Structure formats: C-alpha cells, structure tokens
Amino acid sequence: MALSASDVPAMYSLLANSMSGEESVRKPAEAALSQSESRPGFCSCLLEVIMAKDLVSQVDIRLMASVYFKNSVNRYWRNKRDSSGIGSEEKKHLRQKLLSHLREENYQIALMLAVLISKIARIDYPKEWPELFSVLAHQLQSADVLTSHRIFMTIFRTLKELSSKRLTSDQKTFAEISTHFFDYSWHVWQRDVQTILNGFSTLSQSYNSTDPNHYHDELYLICERWLLCLKTIRQLIISGFPSDAKCVQEVRPVKEVSPVLLNAIQSFLPYYSSFQKMHPKFWDFTKRACTKLMKVLVVLQGRHPFSFGDKSVLLPVMEFCLNKITEPGPDLLSFEQFLIQCMVMVKCVLECKEYKRILTGRVMDENGITQEQIKKNILNAVGGVLTSVLPDEGIVLLCNVLIRRYFVLNASDLEELYQNPESFHHEQDMVQWTEKLRPCAEALYIVLFEKHSQLLGPVVVSLLQEAMKGCPTSLTEITPGLLLKDATYGAAAYVYYELSNYLSFKDWYNGALSLELSNDHPNMYIIHRKVALILGQWVSEIKDDTKRPVYCALIKLFQDKNLSVRLAACRSLCLHVEDANFSEREFIDLLPVCWVSCFKLVEEVQEFDSKVQVLNLISVLIAHVSGVIPFADNLVQFFQKKGIDVNSPDELLEDSMLLWEATLSYAPSLVPQLLACFPYLVEIMERSFDHLQVAVTVIEDYIILGGTEFLQMHASSVARILDLIVGNVNDRGILSTLPVIDTLVQCFPAEVPPLISSTLQKLITVSLRGGDDRDPSKTAVKASSAAILARLLVMNTNYLARLTSEQSTFLLLQKAGIPIKDNILLCLVDVWLDKVDNVSSIQKKAFGLALSIILTLRLPQVLDMLDQILTVCTTVILSGNDDLAEEESSGENLSSSRSHGEGSIPSIELRRRQIKYSDPINQISLETSVRENLQTCATLHGESFNTAIGSMHPASLEQLKQALKMP
C-alpha cells in the first residue's frame, strides 16, 4: 500500500526512533523503515520531512531522512525485475520538489540534496529531466547569495556525476551542456571575483574590524560560491571538450579563462600576508583560492596542452611561476602549498610529452592544413616561449635557487633529525613529491637537469666544489656552509647518471666523501646521512678499485649512532648487493657484521616502514650472497624470539605478524622454514580476529609466493581460516578478505572451489542478502562477493552451476531468510546487473563476461533480462579500455621522479603484478564473448529472441552494434 501525506508524522517518529541510543527502540524503527522503503510514496514522505518548515531545527532527523532518501534513489529509481521501483508520477513529483527547495540553510543537508539531484540526473538527464539545467539557470537569475551558493553546489555535483558517464551519447550530452552553460558560469565567476576583491579591499582598510558580522558572513558565502563556480568551470572545460592533444583543435575557453585565472591569483596574493592576523577566516580562503587557481591551471595544461601552449597563456603563466619560485619574497616563502603548485606547473610543462612528441600523420582539416603542420606550429611556438622565459641564464638561476634555497634543511628539519631521526628519514625520502616543498623542488630539479644536463652539469659540479671548499670536513658546528654542502651533496646524488660525465666518483670519494666519515661529531649526522645516500645512488659508477672501501664505509655508516644515517646506509647496502656488478668477494668478510647489525637495527627501530627496510636488506642478502646460508637459521630464531605465538601479548603478536608479512613480501622464494610457519596463522585466527588485516595479507603472500606447493601442503588450513572469517567478521574485515579468495579462484580455478565450497556458499548468501543500500560498506561487500562468483562462472562454469543447484545452498539461503523466486544463478544475474556501477573495472569485465555466459542458458527468463544484460555488456565494452588504463595508472601519475627513497620493489609485489597482468579476465575478449554467445542465444530461442531484441530501445541497439562492431 502506498504511503501518503498522512504518513509523514509516523515517518518522522520512525526516523527519530532510529537514532535512539536504546536498542529496543532503535531496532524496531530501523526494521519498519526497511520494510517501508520499497513502498510507493516512501521517498515523498522523506522529502516532506526534509523540507518541513516546522522541523528546520531538527537537523539530525532531517539529515537521516536525506540519507534514507539517497539510498532509496540508489536502489529503486531504476525499475528492476525484483522490485516495483518508484513510479513515474512520484519521480516527476520528487524532481520538481527537489528543485523547489534549493535554499536549504543547513550545509550538510544542502550537500546531501545536491548529491541526490546529481544521482537522479545521472539516470534521468536529459531524457526524463530535460529542464534540469534551464531551471537551475533561471533560479540563479533572482537568487540571493545563499540560494545561488546552493544552486552552484548542485550544478557542480551534477556535472561531476554526468562527466563520469562513458558512453559516446553521454559524452556528447555533456559537451552540449558545456556549450550552453560555460559562458553563463564564466560571467558569474568574473562578477564574483570582482565583488570579492572589492570586499577584500574594504576589509584591508578596516583595521578596527568594525564591519558588521553579517557583512563578513555574506562576503564569505560569496567566496565559497565563487570556489564552487571555479570547480564548475574546470569541470566544463576538462570534460566538455575532447583533449586537444588528440584532436588538435583549439579549446577556446582555455585561452579565455587561463589569463584571467592568473590575474585573479595575482590579485589575491597580497592578502595572504595582510589577512593573516586581522581576518584569519579570509586568510584561509585566500590560501585555498590561490592554491585552487594554480591547480586548475595545472589541470588545464595537462588536459589541453596545445591550447594552453598559446603564447597568450603559456608565457605569462610560466613567467609568473618562475618569478614566484626564484623571488618569492619573505611572506610567500611560508605559503608552501602555493609554491608547490608553481613548481608542479613548471615541471609539467618541462616534461610535457605533447610538447616533444614526434610528428606523424597527415590528417587534413577543412582548410587543407595537415595536423602535422598544426602541431609543428604549436611546438615551435611553445619552444619559443620556453626559450624566452628560460634562457640559459634563467635555467642556471633556477637550478641555483632550487639547490641553495629549497634543498637546504631548516631549523625544524634539524630538530626532527636529532629528536626523532627515524621519522626524519621517512619524512624526507618517502613522502609524495607533491605534498612537501623540498621533495617538489627536488623533482623539478631532476627534470630541469635531465633536460639541460650539458648546461647544468658544470654548474652543479662548480656549486659542489664551492660548498666543499667553504665547509672543511673537520668542521663540527652546524653552519650555513655545512647546510649548503648537505644540499649540494643531495643535488649530486639525485642526478648521478647525467652528472657522472662531469664528476669522477673515485676522485670525489677519495678527496672528500671518505674524509667526511672520519669526523664522528654528532653534528656530522647531517653529512653522514647524505654520504650514505650518495654511495647508494652512484653504485653504477663505483668501479672495482673503489668497491671495497665503499663497502667498508657503508658498513661503518650502518653502525652509526643516528637512526636516520643507519637507515640511509641500509637502503644503499641493498642497492649495492642487488647491483649486477656486486663483488661478493670484496664483501664476504663484512657479512657477519652486516648481518648482526640488521637484527640489531630491526629491534631498535619503531616504525613498520623501518622494519620492512631492514628486512628487505636481509632478504636481499639471502638472495645474492651465498655466504649467508650459514646464518639462515637466525631469521627463524628471530621470529621465535619475537614470538609468533597465540599466547603472546597482543602488541608483541601484532609486531611479529607484521615482520612475518614483511619477510614474505621480500623473500625471493618460500624456503621450508617459512613454509612451516603457516599453521601458526590458524591458531591465531581461531583465537580472535584482532589481527585480521595483517593475517589476510600473510595468506595472500603465501598464495602468491608458494603457489601449488603451498596449496598442496596447507589447503585445509586455508579453507579453515576462510570459513572462520566469512560470516563472522564485520564488513571491513570481509572486504579485506575477499581479494584473497579472488586470487585463489584466479590462480587455481579448478582446484580451489571444491576446497572452499562452504565459503563460496556464504558468498552467495552475502550477494543475495538485501539491506545494503543504507550502508556503502555493505554495498561494497555485496558487489565484491558477487564479482568473485562472476569470476568463478567465467573460469569454472560447471562448478558454479553445480554449487547453485545444491540443496545445501538452498538451505543456507533459507536459513538466512532470503527468498528465491527463480533459480539461484538467475538471482545472481540480478545482482550483477544491479552492482555493475559499484565495482572496479576488472570486476565490471567479470560481470560482463558472466552475463554473456548467461545468454547461453536455455531458460526463457534470459530473454526477460536480455535488454539489461546487453546494456551492461555494451557499457563495459565501450568504457573498458579507458577504465583499465585509468585503474592501472592510478597512484602512478603522481609518483616522484626522484630515484632516491623508492627502494627496490618487493618480490611479492612483482609476482602480484604478474598475476594481475596474466588474469584471464584481462585476456578474454568481452566483445567476442558477447557476439558469440548472442548468436547462441538466438539459436536457442528463435523467434522469441528476435522479439526481445526488437523491443530494445533503438539507441541501446545502436550502442550494442557499435560495441560489437556490427554493421
């Protein structure tokens, strides 16, 4: 029965009770809400609660109503076979009502409503909701500041949602939005920036802060609206136009917007210093505004490099950034995030592949000019700009400034080095280069040097000699000269490959580096650490007659009193032992000291990264030094000493398991001693799940490292652990465990499923259980479980068919209270169709492949689902390559170009990548599978198939033909 306006008070009471601290009150309310969510009118009642004027002060209840509303939209807005969904009339009512209540005062609720509109727009725009943007634009004409802020919040969220749709028709729709909406948004942005600057001018003159608070509040809201408008403009330009790197067509907004953004930065920057004490709220906005503006410029350059390369854009932007880097002034030096973005911009331009791409192809435009000629003209223009803003003297100046100003350790660095050397080591060498100023300067320096090594090689050598001359090795005080020498040593370490043409390592070592180590004063820790770095980075230039003294020097540094020095030496020792020209003969007598020092250091350090680094050296020694074999038992003894023992205190047990996992990560192979340790894990899991996260990583490491040998020895233990975990831990625990099950099925599709049948039956239950829409983590669990079952259908079709037909599976579902209308396999199909937007790209492809196999079933219900199956498969095919490329590159694009601090890749990670790349899901062509199985489906169902195909929407059918490359 449908809910109506008369049910609103009861809905309010249920929402209030669902937030009660008393379980006896909360549980019945939650159950009642869960039972009501599929009834017509549920969302309408929730919206009435959210918008009721007499409930404005009841923020918590209104916010809870908006959460239920959002989850209902996610679950019921699309009509599905297993639910009635939300009726078209109610949808129309809800869309109109949402657009009539944009002036929501509470920010959290306003944000939730904006998200709601964006989720609905993803499904309904433009077909069912063509007036969305025209209504929003019309309301902006007469909106006050608060309303216009909420409208731009809605616009930005909606554009962000729509920009993620990948079908050609969707991208065309977004391009049309950009065409119609850009000019208006840009006008609002320009108007607001002038209003803000006028307001700031007034504020800066009102030293007594006598302005009324409401004026400050309104100005601040305009500032926030302006930021939302900036994000909107960025989204329109980035997603509304194809990258000009591919189409070589000028993107007009880039040339129009970029110079104005730069002017805005220049106008805001003076307020960075003047607002800091008098107006902290606007000072914070100024920081965010300047940083965001620079980030937008960086993104525009990356997306549309050719349009950005125009002289009217690239020249002023590069001049500005270089000026701020080389002459920031005392106030701007503390604005690190802004300086970082200036450096990021210069670095991106210098290494932009489009600006140095080899020209090929002869595609003509309408004027008869080849794309090759267009690119050539652009590249010539870009080259001219770079030459003008970075002549030889400018390059030398930038290099000097980076080393002399940004590489030099400051007072807080020195305090950290001496007070917390271990943290200092990781802070300096393992932080993302875009997060801190010094690593960012180092990354820019490396790119600059690589591009101009012939010019800068002599410059860096001269600077190095100057610093060494101005700071003798006998010095014991921390002076500017000592800090400059440390900076130049770093500069020489980072570009060792190119600099070796201008600097003899042997002469440098004998004349300076070795002498540095003779000075044991505590203030020399700074230099000792950098010497340890140099000895590792320059490993390829260390010839036979220098190897022995360098090995001895590193062993001495490995026993230094300062932990940061020892950790730096540890990493460099790894580089030497792994080097192709490593001399075991010169090193072998140093092995006992090195080995003992490893275990001493791993006991002393506190941070996990440090322990991993030391264990990395231990495993490298095991892999590369034959003389280490007599010491192999020390490692097992070490574990026993640390205590892989279920009765150990939790803290000690956790520490031991982390070391165990780290050893597996870096072990070159699974030696018998490590293989014999696995049964410990069963005992630990039977005791508690307190150490679940590291335990599942250990299991995965054993699977990847041990393969068939491990499975043959410990299959029953693995099955026991998984059966213990699945069904008995929370969502977070399940999510951490599912990748292990997925890896097992991928690597052993025939052998493993029968061994873990009980676990797989539980995954079927998890996949078919409802109630996940109110909790994103439950949705993730359900989707990932279903993805494993999809993989199983693809890789061992008969087994999953058998498992879903077994009586024990039906009984388990019955016990869980899950009604089964069709057979279990068809119920899984509903989940695959429903959750395709909640999984990764590789899981989407698994869903697609599984759905294509469903087409081969001789069941009439398949034709009922044909439209949905083909729509999902089409979407996965058309977006597949881009999604996979994006997923594989995620996290890599922002990686530092610095070679120091990365360490060697763990052997387990290399094997994990091999498994990923050899995944059959990656290898199978979804396009071919759908095409072939669609033919089988046609043969099986004859005329009924033709009827089902004929009922598909023409646009969907056209997309299908495009995906399958059918005429």
Side-chain angles (χ1 to χ4, degrees):
M1 194 170 97
L3 297 171
S4 64
S6 62
D7 295 297
V8 173
M11 184 68 66
Y12 170 82
S13 298
L14 287 174
L15 290 165
N17 290 341
S18 72
M19 301 172 66
S20 172
E22 296 183 20
E23 188 172 332
S24 59
V25 177
R26 185 179 69 255
K27 289 291 185 181
E30 289 177 343
L33 286 167
S34 179
Q35 292 170 2
S36 301
E37 65 181 7
S38 61
R39 294 170 64 184
F42 179 70
C43 288
S44 297
C45 287
L46 291 173
L47 197 53
E48 292 300 324
V49 172
I50 296 168
M51 297 181 177
K53 293 182 178 179
D54 57 335
L55 297 178
V56 169
S57 61
Q58 304 293 319
V59 173
D60 289 346
I61 294 174
R62 294 171 62 223
L63 188 59
M64 179 61 74
S66 66
V67 171
Y68 271 95
F69 190 0
K70 181 174 75 71
N71 291 334
S72 293
V73 167
N74 288 337
R75 180 168 178 79
Y76 298 109
W77 200 269
R78 293 183 192 269
N79 291 325
K80 301 170 187 173
R81 289 190 328 113
D82 61 346
S83 68
S84 57
I86 302 172
S88 58
E89 286 302 314
E90 185 177 7
K91 286 181 181 179
K92 183 178 179 180
H93 165 74
L94 292 172
R95 288 193 296 260
Q96 292 175 344
K97 192 87 171 177
L98 282 167
L99 292 182
S100 71
H101 188 78
L102 293 171
R103 198 184 189 284
E104 169 58 55
E105 293 194 3
N106 181 271
Y107 177 80
Q108 285 183 300
I109 295 175
L111 178 60
M112 189 66 78
L113 291 174
V115 170
L116 265 168
I117 291 172
S118 73
K119 296 292 184 185
I120 294 172
R122 182 182 180 90
I123 301 169
D124 285 1
Y125 182 85
K127 187 177 179 181
E128 304 295 334
W129 207 1
E131 74 278 9
L132 170 61
F133 286 101
S134 59
V135 170
L136 292 172
H138 178 73
Q139 291 196 31
L140 275 173
Q141 306 292 333
S142 57
D144 60 13
V145 176
L146 177 63
T147 306
S148 60
H149 176 275
R150 300 316 194 221
I151 292 173
F152 266 110
M153 182 190 292
T154 302
I155 290 171
F156 169 65
R157 288 281 167 180
T158 304
L159 290 175
K160 189 175 181 181
E161 188 73 35
L162 294 177
S163 70
S164 66
K165 299 180 75 175
R166 309 304 292 269
L167 292 178
T168 305
S169 58
D170 296 324
Q171 293 177 347
K172 183 179 178 182
T173 298
F174 196 94
E176 291 172 355
I177 296 172
S178 296
T179 301
H180 294 105
F181 212 72
F182 170 77
D183 288 334
Y184 180 78
S185 301
W186 181 230
H187 170 73
V188 173
W189 186 92
Q190 290 176 294
R191 183 193 65 198
D192 274 359
V193 78
Q194 199 55 54
T195 302
I196 294 168
L197 290 171
N198 290 338
F200 278 16
S201 177
T202 303
L203 282 176
S204 64
Q205 296 170 24
S206 58
Y207 297 109
N208 297 324
S209 297
T210 57
D211 297 322
N213 284 332
H214 70 82
Y215 171 75
H216 285 195
D217 292 343
E218 181 169 306
L219 179 60
Y220 190 75
L221 197 56
I222 292 173
C223 291
E224 292 297 322
R225 178 181 70 189
W226 174 84
L227 275 177
L228 285 168
C229 195
L230 176 63
K231 293 178 181 178
T232 298
I233 291 164
R234 178 198 62 191
Q235 201 72 49
L236 290 170
I237 300 176
I238 295 302
S239 302
F241 300 86
S243 172
D244 65 8
K246 297 179 180 178
C247 64
V248 200
Q249 291 182 351
E250 181 183 280
V251 180
R252 175 188 59 83
V254 174
K255 294 172 66 175
E256 181 181 352
V257 165
S258 299
V260 183
L261 298 186
L262 182 62
N263 289 335
I265 295 172
Q266 293 170 315
S267 300
F268 279 125
L269 273 179
Y271 296 107
Y272 173 75
S273 56
S274 61
F275 279 1
Q276 187 166 3
K277 293 182 180 179
M278 296 295 295
H279 303 288
K281 183 165 71 170
F282 290 104
W283 177 66
D284 177 72
F285 166 78
T286 300
K287 289 194 298 179
R288 288 190 291 130
C290 291
T291 304
K292 176 59 72 175
L293 285 165
M294 276 305 306
K295 284 184 174 180
V296 172
L297 287 172
V298 170
V299 171
L300 292 180
Q301 190 280 329
R303 174 68 173 172
H304 303 297
F306 291 146
S307 300
F308 198 92
D310 187 89
K311 187 176 181 180
S312 65
V313 179
L314 185 60
L315 179 62
V317 170
M318 285 292 285
E319 284 181 336
F320 173 81
C321 291
L322 289 167
N323 177 262
K324 293 307 173 189
I325 294 169
T326 55
E327 299 178 25
D331 293 330
L332 203 58
L333 265 177
S334 63
F335 195 176
E336 290 198 358
Q337 285 304 311
F338 180 73
L339 288 174
I340 286 172
Q341 292 308 314
C342 289
M343 291 182 184
V344 170
M345 172 59 80
V346 175
K347 178 177 178 288
C348 287
V349 169
L350 289 178
E351 62 181 356
C352 177
K353 62 182 181 180
E354 283 76 20
Y355 293 161
K356 53 189 174 186
R357 180 180 293 169
I358 298 173
L359 303 179
T360 58
R362 297 189 59 82
V363 179
M364 309 283 282
D365 71 1
E366 63 271 17
N367 298 318
I369 304 174
T370 65
Q371 284 195 359
E372 179 181 343
Q373 186 60 47
I374 296 173
K375 289 182 181 180
K376 185 176 181 180
N377 294 340
I378 294 171
L379 296 184
N380 287 338
V382 169
V385 170
L386 294 181
T387 301
S388 66
V389 298
L390 270 179
D392 286 356
E393 59 271 22
I395 294 168
V396 172
L397 171 63
L398 179 58
C399 178
N400 267 284
V401 167
L402 290 173
I403 297 171
R404 292 178 183 272
R405 177 179 298 146
Y406 296 105
F407 283 20
V408 175
L409 298 176
N410 57 37
S412 62
D413 294 324
L414 295 173
E415 182 180 3
E416 185 79 359
L417 171 63
Y418 286 94
Q419 298 299 321
N420 198 344
E422 190 177 355
S423 295
F424 175 84
H425 169 77
H426 296 297
E427 175 79 9
Q428 294 299 308
D429 289 345
M430 295 187 178
V431 72
Q432 279 280 2
W433 69 274
T434 54
E435 293 176 5
K436 294 292 180 100
L437 187 57
R438 185 180 300 105
C440 191
E442 291 167 354
L444 173 56
Y445 162 77
I446 291 170
V447 171
L448 186 71
F449 194 97
E450 289 174 348
K451 197 171 181 65
H452 304 283
S453 58
Q454 291 185 346
L455 173 64
L456 294 179
V459 172
V460 173
V461 171
S462 175
L463 186 55
L464 180 64
Q465 292 171 341
E466 173 197 331
M468 291 190 296
K469 186 177 180 181
C471 179
T473 57
S474 59
L475 190 73
T476 58
E477 296 181 10
I478 299 178
T479 64
L482 180 79
L483 296 177
L484 178 61
K485 182 163 71 170
D486 173 74
T488 58
Y489 275 9
Y494 306 147
V495 293
Y496 62 94
Y497 184 77
E498 292 85 357
L499 198 61
S500 60
N501 295 321
Y502 306 91
L503 180 63
S504 164
F505 177 81
K506 182 178 180 181
D507 294 343
W508 185 23
Y509 180 79
N510 292 331
L513 298 180
S514 62
L515 302 179
E516 304 283 11
L517 303 184
S518 63
N519 186 344
D520 291 327
H521 192 279
N523 285 341
M524 290 300 291
Y525 293 157
I526 301 167
I527 299 298
H528 286 180
R529 179 181 172 277
K530 205 55 66 74
V531 171
L533 171 66
I534 291 167
L535 296 183
Q537 293 299 100
W538 281 71
V539 61
S540 61
E541 301 303 314
I542 299 174
K543 307 307 179 186
D544 290 343
D545 56 346
T546 320
K547 286 186 185 294
R548 174 66 183 184
V550 167
Y551 293 163
C552 292
L554 282 172
I555 293 298
K556 180 179 180 181
L557 290 165
F558 197 34
Q559 300 173 80
D560 198 282
K561 294 179 181 178
N562 186 275
L563 276 180
S564 73
V565 177
R566 290 161 71 186
L567 288 167
C570 177
R571 184 179 53 236
S572 292
L573 278 167
C574 279
L575 294 174
H576 276 270
V577 177
E578 287 183 311
D579 181 52
N581 296 314
F582 172 64
S583 174
E584 184 173 344
R585 179 176 59 83
E586 299 285 4
F587 185 82
I588 194 66
D589 65 312
L590 302 172
L591 179 60
V593 177
C594 182
W595 192 254
V596 170
S597 299
C598 284
F599 288 103
K600 184 178 179 182
L601 181 58
V602 83
E603 292 273 6
E604 192 172 337
V605 294
Q606 300 298 315
E607 297 190 20
F608 177 62
D609 285 339
S610 304
K611 297 178 187 293
V612 168
Q613 194 172 319
V614 183
L615 283 168
N616 185 21
L617 176 57
I618 292 172
S619 62
V620 165
L621 290 169
I622 292 173
H624 293 85
V625 184
S626 58
V628 84
I629 294 174
F631 303 97
D633 286 341
N634 290 38
L635 192 58
V636 177
Q637 292 170 7
F638 171 73
F639 280 128
Q640 292 171 345
K641 179 181 178 182
K642 291 298 282 184
I644 302 180
D645 180 357
V646 293
N647 298 314
S648 298
D650 278 346
E651 190 173 325
L652 181 58
L653 181 59
E654 178 80 10
D655 189 49
S656 301
M657 291 182 68
L658 289 171
L659 291 174
W660 185 10
E661 193 279 321
T663 303
L664 289 167
S665 294
Y666 290 97
S669 61
L670 199 55
V671 295
Q673 295 96 322
L674 283 174
L675 199 56
C677 289
F678 188 77
Y680 287 131
L681 204 58
V682 180
E683 298 179 53
I684 292 169
M685 288 295 96
E686 285 178 338
R687 175 189 173 187
S688 77
F689 297 121
D690 292 344
H691 312 290
L692 178 63
Q693 298 294 322
V694 67
V696 294
T697 308
V698 167
I699 298 171
E700 186 179 38
D701 288 351
Y702 270 104
I703 295 166
I704 294 172
L705 201 59
T708 304
E709 180 186 6
F710 163 71
L711 196 66
Q712 289 174 344
M713 185 177 293
H714 296 296
S716 59
S717 295
V718 172
R720 170 64 177 154
I721 292 172
L722 294 178
D723 201 41
L724 280 170
I725 295 172
V726 178
N728 296 306
V729 299
N730 60 21
D731 294 334
R732 183 183 175 190
I734 284 284
L735 283 174
S736 67
T737 307
L738 292 177
V740 174
I741 303 174
D742 191 59
T743 301
L744 275 169
V745 174
Q746 178 191 332
C747 296
F748 310 101
E751 302 90 337
V752 160
L755 297 173
I756 61 168
S757 58
S758 174
T759 298
L760 293 173
Q761 286 177 321
K762 290 181 182 179
L763 293 189
I764 294 174
T765 303
V766 171
S767 299
L768 299 183
R769 183 181 291 136
D772 62 292
D773 294 300
R774 290 185 298 277
D775 189 339
S777 64
K778 281 185 167 49
T779 299
V781 169
K782 184 173 183 176
S784 297
S785 299
I788 292 173
L789 297 171
R791 174 186 288 281
L792 182 56
L793 182 66
V794 175
M795 300 183 69
N796 193 340
T797 306
N798 291 337
Y799 182 80
L800 184 63
R802 247 190 345 265
L803 187 67
T804 53
S805 303
E806 287 183 3
Q807 184 65 23
S808 58
T809 306
F810 278 96
L811 291 175
L812 189 64
L813 292 171
Q814 187 177 11
K815 184 178 179 182
I818 301 172
I820 301 297
K821 300 175 184 177
D822 300 314
N823 69 46
I824 295 174
L825 195 54
L826 289 181
C827 292
L828 287 175
V829 172
D830 285 334
V831 181
W832 293 333
L833 293 170
D834 183 34
K835 299 304 177 187
V836 71
D837 289 330
N838 300 104
V839 294
S840 68
S841 56
I842 188 70
Q843 290 173 323
K844 284 181 182 178
K845 189 174 180 186
F847 280 7
L849 289 168
L851 290 170
S852 76
I853 291 173
I854 294 298
L855 296 175
T856 64
L857 299 181
R858 195 186 297 271
L859 294 172
Q861 296 97 319
V862 171
L863 297 181
D864 297 335
M865 299 182 284
L866 187 62
D867 190 347
Q868 287 179 288
I869 289 175
L870 293 178
T871 298
V872 167
C873 290
T874 299
T875 303
V876 175
I877 291 170
L878 292 178
S879 64
N881 291 335
D882 289 342
D883 281 350
L884 285 171
E886 182 177 326
E887 187 170 285
E888 289 174 6
S889 65
S890 64
E892 296 176 6
N893 291 335
L894 292 180
S895 64
S896 171
S897 59
R898 298 182 299 157
S899 56
H900 74 290
E902 294 177 357
S904 59
I905 298 174
S907 58
I908 198 76
E909 182 58 32
L910 292 175
R911 297 186 187 213
R912 187 176 285 111
R913 292 181 188 180
Q914 290 170 354
I915 289 174
K916 178 182 177 182
Y917 294 141
S918 62
D919 189 346
I921 300 295
N922 276 329
Q923 310 302 323
I924 300 171
S925 167
L926 177 57
E927 178 186 329
T928 302
S929 179
V930 173
R931 190 186 301 111
E932 293 176 353
N933 291 341
L934 197 59
Q935 184 61 49
T936 302
C937 187
T939 303
L940 288 173
H941 299 283
E943 190 57 37
S944 298
F945 171 84
N946 295 332
T947 302
I949 284 287
S951 66
M952 288 181 65
H953 192 281
S956 299
L957 197 57
E958 186 59 34
Q959 290 284 347
L960 174 64
K961 290 180 179 179
Q962 178 187 342
L964 300 184
K965 297 182 176 62
M966 296 168 62

